[in-house]
Amino acid sequence: MHLFPNTRIFVSFGSLEIAWYAVLILTGALCAYLLCQRTMKKWGYAPEVLDDYVVPMLFIGILGARAWYVIFEWNYYSSHLNEIVAIWNGGLAIHGGLIAGTIFSLFFFKKRHISFLRMFDLIMPTVLLAQAFGRWGNFMNQEAYGGIVSESFFAHYPVFIKNQMFIDGAYRMPTFLFESVCNLLGFLFITLIFRKHWYKRRGDCGFMYMVWYGITRFVVEGMRTDSLMVFGLRTAQLVSLALMVVGCLGLMGVFHKAFHWKNKPIVLFDLDGTLIDSQQLVFETFRRVFKELKPDYELSNEELYSFFGPTLEVTFSKYFPEDQLESIIDRYQVINKSLHKNLLKEVPHAKEMLEGLKEQNIQCAVVSNKRIEVVKRGLKQAGLDGYFKVVLGKENLPEPKPSASGLIEACNLLHTSHDDCIYVGDNVADIVAAKNMAAYSVGFSVDEKQREALEKAHPCKVIDDLMQLVSLCKEDRIWSDNTIW
């Protein structure tokens, strides 16, 4: 094995050679993949989604970049057809890769029922990072350089850059380095500053990429001496101008208006304390269970409030041996059922709110940690059962809340993605469940004490009247938690 750190070859095994160009491009792609996968996990997507995307995307992107380069250098390649596939010698035009990759992404995410614009925001800033690595592949191949400069130009540069920029008997301006640094700065700006302070609409981060990279490439391309040309003009500068124009129009919201990129959210609800007022029912049921089975123990109000959210198994396990839990829960259900008629009631304005959402053609579902039979019974008694296409109880959830798995399952059953999803709940576990898939979380309570607890969980919005949901859903906003990346 031989290492050649300052030539085109990274490592060789006999006749097998691995080029620096390939290593650096793949390193950039890997960094972008890992960053995207980290965020996709926070957004509740299975790792397989990005895994299925990245390999064909990388192949198609490289194919498009090579095709673009070959087309504009056809005078050479028409006489050297065998070199068309020799990408290890360099010759990838990023604009061709971006065009091919965008077309593939549109089809891929549409087929998966995933918001293209949301993925556009996620992926494109990481492309800048990948490009920053890729330019060092150009450095190793001694390409993407500028005009002749004096040796003194490199007085403050590392020696290895100076030496590698000595090309055809003269020192060359390291335009690869200028673009690499600008790409890295663009990645940091979009992910650390722009996303936090100026992100308003889906697609904004992607459009900001187009503006940033368009400006960067236009300026750097003017310094290069190896530009692809068309009709005497630098191809990359023409495309960069187009990127800047499209990016600016996108940031102004022109495309959102023209193509009606305003998605209606789906609205998922918790049950107890959100759609039905079961507080007195739950409190009285627990009091009777403890009076029967643990008569010497008196429940405090704080404990009773804490019983909202967790499953009965979790709650009772704090007070009773594990081998008694099943019989205790059965007894709880019997008592609870007997008290339903007198103590269960609809939350004020629940029916009017659901009618308002129905008029907007918004799909609704219920996701509760309670047993499905109890959930359906409560909805029926409150007269709300006709408003939901999907109703999930404890038995239907892959994992109980605060896991987001039940919310994602509800979206799947509604045959839609969870990119535009509101989850409404009255306790911290509901807010955490929404955040575990980066959904738009709405905390609801008429109880001041509960609202204080909800606000500490930092939901996207807190309401004290369900009718506020009707006007909320009419707003033009991103229906996900924009603080989660």
PDB file of all heavy atoms in Angstrom, residues 414-439:
ATOM      1  N   LEU A 414     -54.630   8.003   8.062  1.00  0.00           N
ATOM      2  CA  LEU A 414     -55.321   9.064   7.310  1.00  0.00           C
ATOM      3  C   LEU A 414     -54.732   9.234   5.908  1.00  0.00           C
ATOM      4  O   LEU A 414     -55.138  10.114   5.166  1.00  0.00           O
ATOM      5  CB  LEU A 414     -55.222  10.388   8.072  1.00  0.00           C
ATOM      6  CG  LEU A 414     -56.046  10.493   9.364  1.00  0.00           C
ATOM      7  CD1 LEU A 414     -55.688  11.760  10.125  1.00  0.00           C
ATOM      8  CD2 LEU A 414     -57.540  10.453   9.055  1.00  0.00           C
ATOM      9  N   HIS A 415     -53.740   8.387   5.601  1.00  0.00           N
ATOM     10  CA  HIS A 415     -53.086   8.385   4.286  1.00  0.00           C
ATOM     11  C   HIS A 415     -52.453   9.736   3.970  1.00  0.00           C
ATOM     12  O   HIS A 415     -52.594  10.284   2.864  1.00  0.00           O
ATOM     13  CB  HIS A 415     -54.079   8.002   3.182  1.00  0.00           C
ATOM     14  CG  HIS A 415     -54.768   6.705   3.428  1.00  0.00           C
ATOM     15  ND1 HIS A 415     -54.104   5.502   3.391  1.00  0.00           N
ATOM     16  CD2 HIS A 415     -56.064   6.418   3.771  1.00  0.00           C
ATOM     17  CE1 HIS A 415     -54.964   4.521   3.669  1.00  0.00           C
ATOM     18  NE2 HIS A 415     -56.144   5.052   3.906  1.00  0.00           N
ATOM     19  N   THR A 416     -51.753  10.273   4.947  1.00  0.00           N
ATOM     20  CA  THR A 416     -51.042  11.536   4.766  1.00  0.00           C
ATOM     21  C   THR A 416     -49.758  11.502   5.573  1.00  0.00           C
ATOM     22  O   THR A 416     -49.583  10.644   6.442  1.00  0.00           O
ATOM     23  CB  THR A 416     -51.922  12.722   5.207  1.00  0.00           C
ATOM     24  OG1 THR A 416     -51.250  13.945   4.921  1.00  0.00           O
ATOM     25  CG2 THR A 416     -52.201  12.662   6.698  1.00  0.00           C
ATOM     26  N   SER A 417     -48.850  12.419   5.267  1.00  0.00           N
ATOM     27  CA  SER A 417     -47.609  12.494   6.029  1.00  0.00           C
ATOM     28  C   SER A 417     -47.865  13.267   7.313  1.00  0.00           C
ATOM     29  O   SER A 417     -48.935  13.864   7.497  1.00  0.00           O
ATOM     30  CB  SER A 417     -46.511  13.191   5.223  1.00  0.00           C
ATOM     31  OG  SER A 417     -46.755  14.583   5.185  1.00  0.00           O
ATOM     32  N   HIS A 418     -46.880  13.285   8.186  1.00  0.00           N
ATOM     33  CA  HIS A 418     -47.026  14.061   9.421  1.00  0.00           C
ATOM     34  C   HIS A 418     -46.262  15.386   9.321  1.00  0.00           C
ATOM     35  O   HIS A 418     -45.957  16.004  10.331  1.00  0.00           O
ATOM     36  CB  HIS A 418     -46.564  13.255  10.638  1.00  0.00           C
ATOM     37  CG  HIS A 418     -45.126  12.824  10.599  1.00  0.00           C
ATOM     38  ND1 HIS A 418     -44.725  11.606  10.093  1.00  0.00           N
ATOM     39  CD2 HIS A 418     -43.992  13.452  11.010  1.00  0.00           C
ATOM     40  CE1 HIS A 418     -43.414  11.505  10.213  1.00  0.00           C
ATOM     41  NE2 HIS A 418     -42.944  12.615  10.763  1.00  0.00           N
ATOM     42  N   ASP A 419     -45.985  15.836   8.084  1.00  0.00           N
ATOM     43  CA  ASP A 419     -45.275  17.097   7.898  1.00  0.00           C
ATOM     44  C   ASP A 419     -46.129  18.301   8.297  1.00  0.00           C
ATOM     45  O   ASP A 419     -45.599  19.322   8.729  1.00  0.00           O
ATOM     46  CB  ASP A 419     -44.853  17.257   6.432  1.00  0.00           C
ATOM     47  CG  ASP A 419     -43.767  16.270   6.046  1.00  0.00           C
ATOM     48  OD1 ASP A 419     -42.810  16.106   6.811  1.00  0.00           O
ATOM     49  OD2 ASP A 419     -43.887  15.650   4.970  1.00  0.00           O
ATOM     50  N   ASP A 420     -47.439  18.192   8.122  1.00  0.00           N
ATOM     51  CA  ASP A 420     -48.356  19.284   8.464  1.00  0.00           C
ATOM     52  C   ASP A 420     -49.378  18.751   9.456  1.00  0.00           C
ATOM     53  O   ASP A 420     -50.484  18.345   9.088  1.00  0.00           O
ATOM     54  CB  ASP A 420     -49.050  19.812   7.207  1.00  0.00           C
ATOM     55  CG  ASP A 420     -48.050  20.405   6.225  1.00  0.00           C
ATOM     56  OD1 ASP A 420     -47.574  21.520   6.475  1.00  0.00           O
ATOM     57  OD2 ASP A 420     -47.743  19.732   5.218  1.00  0.00           O
ATOM     58  N   CYS A 421     -48.988  18.762  10.712  1.00  0.00           N
ATOM     59  CA  CYS A 421     -49.787  18.094  11.736  1.00  0.00           C
ATOM     60  C   CYS A 421     -49.845  18.924  13.011  1.00  0.00           C
ATOM     61  O   CYS A 421     -48.818  19.406  13.503  1.00  0.00           O
ATOM     62  CB  CYS A 421     -49.190  16.718  12.029  1.00  0.00           C
ATOM     63  SG  CYS A 421     -50.027  15.823  13.356  1.00  0.00           S
ATOM     64  N   ILE A 422     -51.067  19.084  13.541  1.00  0.00           N
ATOM     65  CA  ILE A 422     -51.283  19.725  14.840  1.00  0.00           C
ATOM     66  C   ILE A 422     -51.690  18.641  15.831  1.00  0.00           C
ATOM     67  O   ILE A 422     -52.524  17.781  15.509  1.00  0.00           O
ATOM     68  CB  ILE A 422     -52.399  20.783  14.764  1.00  0.00           C
ATOM     69  CG1 ILE A 422     -52.026  21.893  13.780  1.00  0.00           C
ATOM     70  CG2 ILE A 422     -52.681  21.374  16.144  1.00  0.00           C
ATOM     71  CD1 ILE A 422     -53.157  22.900  13.551  1.00  0.00           C
ATOM     72  N   TYR A 423     -51.089  18.658  17.015  1.00  0.00           N
ATOM     73  CA  TYR A 423     -51.567  17.766  18.071  1.00  0.00           C
ATOM     74  C   TYR A 423     -52.009  18.611  19.246  1.00  0.00           C
ATOM     75  O   TYR A 423     -51.249  19.440  19.758  1.00  0.00           O
ATOM     76  CB  TYR A 423     -50.495  16.771  18.507  1.00  0.00           C
ATOM     77  CG  TYR A 423     -51.054  15.744  19.482  1.00  0.00           C
ATOM     78  CD1 TYR A 423     -52.144  14.963  19.128  1.00  0.00           C
ATOM     79  CD2 TYR A 423     -50.505  15.569  20.754  1.00  0.00           C
ATOM     80  CE1 TYR A 423     -52.671  14.026  20.004  1.00  0.00           C
ATOM     81  CE2 TYR A 423     -51.024  14.628  21.630  1.00  0.00           C
ATOM     82  CZ  TYR A 423     -52.112  13.866  21.243  1.00  0.00           C
ATOM     83  OH  TYR A 423     -52.654  12.942  22.120  1.00  0.00           O
ATOM     84  N   VAL A 424     -53.255  18.403  19.672  1.00  0.00           N
ATOM     85  CA  VAL A 424     -53.859  19.190  20.742  1.00  0.00           C
ATOM     86  C   VAL A 424     -54.002  18.315  21.980  1.00  0.00           C
ATOM     87  O   VAL A 424     -54.615  17.235  21.920  1.00  0.00           O
ATOM     88  CB  VAL A 424     -55.247  19.727  20.325  1.00  0.00           C
ATOM     89  CG1 VAL A 424     -55.763  20.711  21.370  1.00  0.00           C
ATOM     90  CG2 VAL A 424     -55.181  20.379  18.951  1.00  0.00           C
ATOM     91  N   GLY A 425     -53.443  18.772  23.084  1.00  0.00           N
ATOM     92  CA  GLY A 425     -53.530  18.011  24.321  1.00  0.00           C
ATOM     93  C   GLY A 425     -53.528  18.914  25.530  1.00  0.00           C
ATOM     94  O   GLY A 425     -53.214  20.107  25.436  1.00  0.00           O
ATOM     95  N   ASP A 426     -53.876  18.326  26.680  1.00  0.00           N
ATOM     96  CA  ASP A 426     -54.012  19.140  27.885  1.00  0.00           C
ATOM     97  C   ASP A 426     -52.942  18.868  28.929  1.00  0.00           C
ATOM     98  O   ASP A 426     -52.991  19.444  30.019  1.00  0.00           O
ATOM     99  CB  ASP A 426     -55.388  18.902  28.516  1.00  0.00           C
ATOM    100  CG  ASP A 426     -55.516  17.506  29.110  1.00  0.00           C
ATOM    101  OD1 ASP A 426     -55.126  16.533  28.421  1.00  0.00           O
ATOM    102  OD2 ASP A 426     -55.968  17.385  30.262  1.00  0.00           O
ATOM    103  N   ASN A 427     -51.971  18.000  28.618  1.00  0.00           N
ATOM    104  CA  ASN A 427     -50.924  17.742  29.607  1.00  0.00           C
ATOM    105  C   ASN A 427     -49.554  17.681  28.946  1.00  0.00           C
ATOM    106  O   ASN A 427     -49.433  17.636  27.716  1.00  0.00           O
ATOM    107  CB  ASN A 427     -51.213  16.454  30.403  1.00  0.00           C
ATOM    108  CG  ASN A 427     -51.233  15.233  29.518  1.00  0.00           C
ATOM    109  OD1 ASN A 427     -50.204  14.799  29.013  1.00  0.00           O
ATOM    110  ND2 ASN A 427     -52.418  14.657  29.317  1.00  0.00           N
ATOM    111  N   VAL A 428     -48.542  17.691  29.771  1.00  0.00           N
ATOM    112  CA  VAL A 428     -47.159  17.765  29.286  1.00  0.00           C
ATOM    113  C   VAL A 428     -46.816  16.581  28.394  1.00  0.00           C
ATOM    114  O   VAL A 428     -46.091  16.730  27.402  1.00  0.00           O
ATOM    115  CB  VAL A 428     -46.189  17.854  30.482  1.00  0.00           C
ATOM    116  CG1 VAL A 428     -44.751  17.734  30.015  1.00  0.00           C
ATOM    117  CG2 VAL A 428     -46.394  19.170  31.234  1.00  0.00           C
ATOM    118  N   ALA A 429     -47.320  15.383  28.717  1.00  0.00           N
ATOM    119  CA  ALA A 429     -47.029  14.201  27.896  1.00  0.00           C
ATOM    120  C   ALA A 429     -47.490  14.391  26.458  1.00  0.00           C
ATOM    121  O   ALA A 429     -46.846  13.921  25.517  1.00  0.00           O
ATOM    122  CB  ALA A 429     -47.687  12.959  28.498  1.00  0.00           C
ATOM    123  N   ASP A 430     -48.602  15.099  26.275  1.00  0.00           N
ATOM    124  CA  ASP A 430     -49.099  15.370  24.921  1.00  0.00           C
ATOM    125  C   ASP A 430     -48.148  16.295  24.160  1.00  0.00           C
ATOM    126  O   ASP A 430     -47.875  16.085  22.979  1.00  0.00           O
ATOM    127  CB  ASP A 430     -50.490  16.011  24.987  1.00  0.00           C
ATOM    128  CG  ASP A 430     -51.531  15.095  25.595  1.00  0.00           C
ATOM    129  OD1 ASP A 430     -51.478  13.890  25.316  1.00  0.00           O
ATOM    130  OD2 ASP A 430     -52.381  15.589  26.345  1.00  0.00           O
ATOM    131  N   ILE A 431     -47.649  17.324  24.842  1.00  0.00           N
ATOM    132  CA  ILE A 431     -46.729  18.262  24.205  1.00  0.00           C
ATOM    133  C   ILE A 431     -45.422  17.556  23.833  1.00  0.00           C
ATOM    134  O   ILE A 431     -44.888  17.745  22.747  1.00  0.00           O
ATOM    135  CB  ILE A 431     -46.443  19.465  25.129  1.00  0.00           C
ATOM    136  CG1 ILE A 431     -47.751  20.137  25.553  1.00  0.00           C
ATOM    137  CG2 ILE A 431     -45.513  20.450  24.435  1.00  0.00           C
ATOM    138  CD1 ILE A 431     -48.637  20.573  24.416  1.00  0.00           C
ATOM    139  N   VAL A 432     -44.935  16.716  24.750  1.00  0.00           N
ATOM    140  CA  VAL A 432     -43.700  15.982  24.481  1.00  0.00           C
ATOM    141  C   VAL A 432     -43.888  15.035  23.298  1.00  0.00           C
ATOM    142  O   VAL A 432     -43.002  14.898  22.447  1.00  0.00           O
ATOM    143  CB  VAL A 432     -43.244  15.206  25.734  1.00  0.00           C
ATOM    144  CG1 VAL A 432     -42.045  14.324  25.417  1.00  0.00           C
ATOM    145  CG2 VAL A 432     -42.899  16.174  26.859  1.00  0.00           C
ATOM    146  N   ALA A 433     -45.051  14.367  23.241  1.00  0.00           N
ATOM    147  CA  ALA A 433     -45.333  13.461  22.120  1.00  0.00           C
ATOM    148  C   ALA A 433     -45.295  14.217  20.792  1.00  0.00           C
ATOM    149  O   ALA A 433     -44.727  13.735  19.809  1.00  0.00           O
ATOM    150  CB  ALA A 433     -46.691  12.796  22.310  1.00  0.00           C
ATOM    151  N   ALA A 434     -45.896  15.417  20.768  1.00  0.00           N
ATOM    152  CA  ALA A 434     -45.877  16.220  19.544  1.00  0.00           C
ATOM    153  C   ALA A 434     -44.455  16.617  19.177  1.00  0.00           C
ATOM    154  O   ALA A 434     -44.058  16.562  18.006  1.00  0.00           O
ATOM    155  CB  ALA A 434     -46.742  17.465  19.726  1.00  0.00           C
ATOM    156  N   LYS A 435     -43.669  17.008  20.172  1.00  0.00           N
ATOM    157  CA  LYS A 435     -42.289  17.421  19.908  1.00  0.00           C
ATOM    158  C   LYS A 435     -41.438  16.244  19.443  1.00  0.00           C
ATOM    159  O   LYS A 435     -40.447  16.439  18.723  1.00  0.00           O
ATOM    160  CB  LYS A 435     -41.691  18.069  21.160  1.00  0.00           C
ATOM    161  CG  LYS A 435     -42.234  19.469  21.428  1.00  0.00           C
ATOM    162  CD  LYS A 435     -41.569  20.111  22.605  1.00  0.00           C
ATOM    163  CE  LYS A 435     -42.038  21.552  22.779  1.00  0.00           C
ATOM    164  NZ  LYS A 435     -41.594  22.446  21.678  1.00  0.00           N
ATOM    165  N   ASN A 436     -41.790  15.032  19.832  1.00  0.00           N
ATOM    166  CA  ASN A 436     -41.025  13.858  19.417  1.00  0.00           C
ATOM    167  C   ASN A 436     -41.193  13.530  17.938  1.00  0.00           C
ATOM    168  O   ASN A 436     -40.518  12.629  17.426  1.00  0.00           O
ATOM    169  CB  ASN A 436     -41.404  12.648  20.270  1.00  0.00           C
ATOM    170  CG  ASN A 436     -40.781  12.689  21.647  1.00  0.00           C
ATOM    171  OD1 ASN A 436     -39.757  13.351  21.862  1.00  0.00           O
ATOM    172  ND2 ASN A 436     -41.370  11.999  22.603  1.00  0.00           N
ATOM    173  N   MET A 437     -42.090  14.259  17.265  1.00  0.00           N
ATOM    174  CA  MET A 437     -42.178  14.144  15.802  1.00  0.00           C
ATOM    175  C   MET A 437     -42.188  15.529  15.165  1.00  0.00           C
ATOM    176  O   MET A 437     -42.506  15.686  13.986  1.00  0.00           O
ATOM    177  CB  MET A 437     -43.424  13.360  15.383  1.00  0.00           C
ATOM    178  CG  MET A 437     -44.729  13.953  15.869  1.00  0.00           C
ATOM    179  SD  MET A 437     -46.165  12.983  15.354  1.00  0.00           S
ATOM    180  CE  MET A 437     -46.667  13.886  13.896  1.00  0.00           C
ATOM    181  N   ALA A 438     -41.816  16.547  15.978  1.00  0.00           N
ATOM    182  CA  ALA A 438     -41.742  17.937  15.519  1.00  0.00           C
ATOM    183  C   ALA A 438     -43.066  18.430  14.958  1.00  0.00           C
ATOM    184  O   ALA A 438     -43.097  19.251  14.035  1.00  0.00           O
ATOM    185  CB  ALA A 438     -40.629  18.120  14.486  1.00  0.00           C
ATOM    186  N   ALA A 439     -44.191  17.936  15.512  1.00  0.00           N
ATOM    187  CA  ALA A 439     -45.500  18.420  15.099  1.00  0.00           C
ATOM    188  C   ALA A 439     -45.774  19.778  15.737  1.00  0.00           C
ATOM    189  O   ALA A 439     -45.100  20.189  16.679  1.00  0.00           O
ATOM    190  CB  ALA A 439     -46.583  17.417  15.498  1.00  0.00           C
TER     191      ALA A 439
END
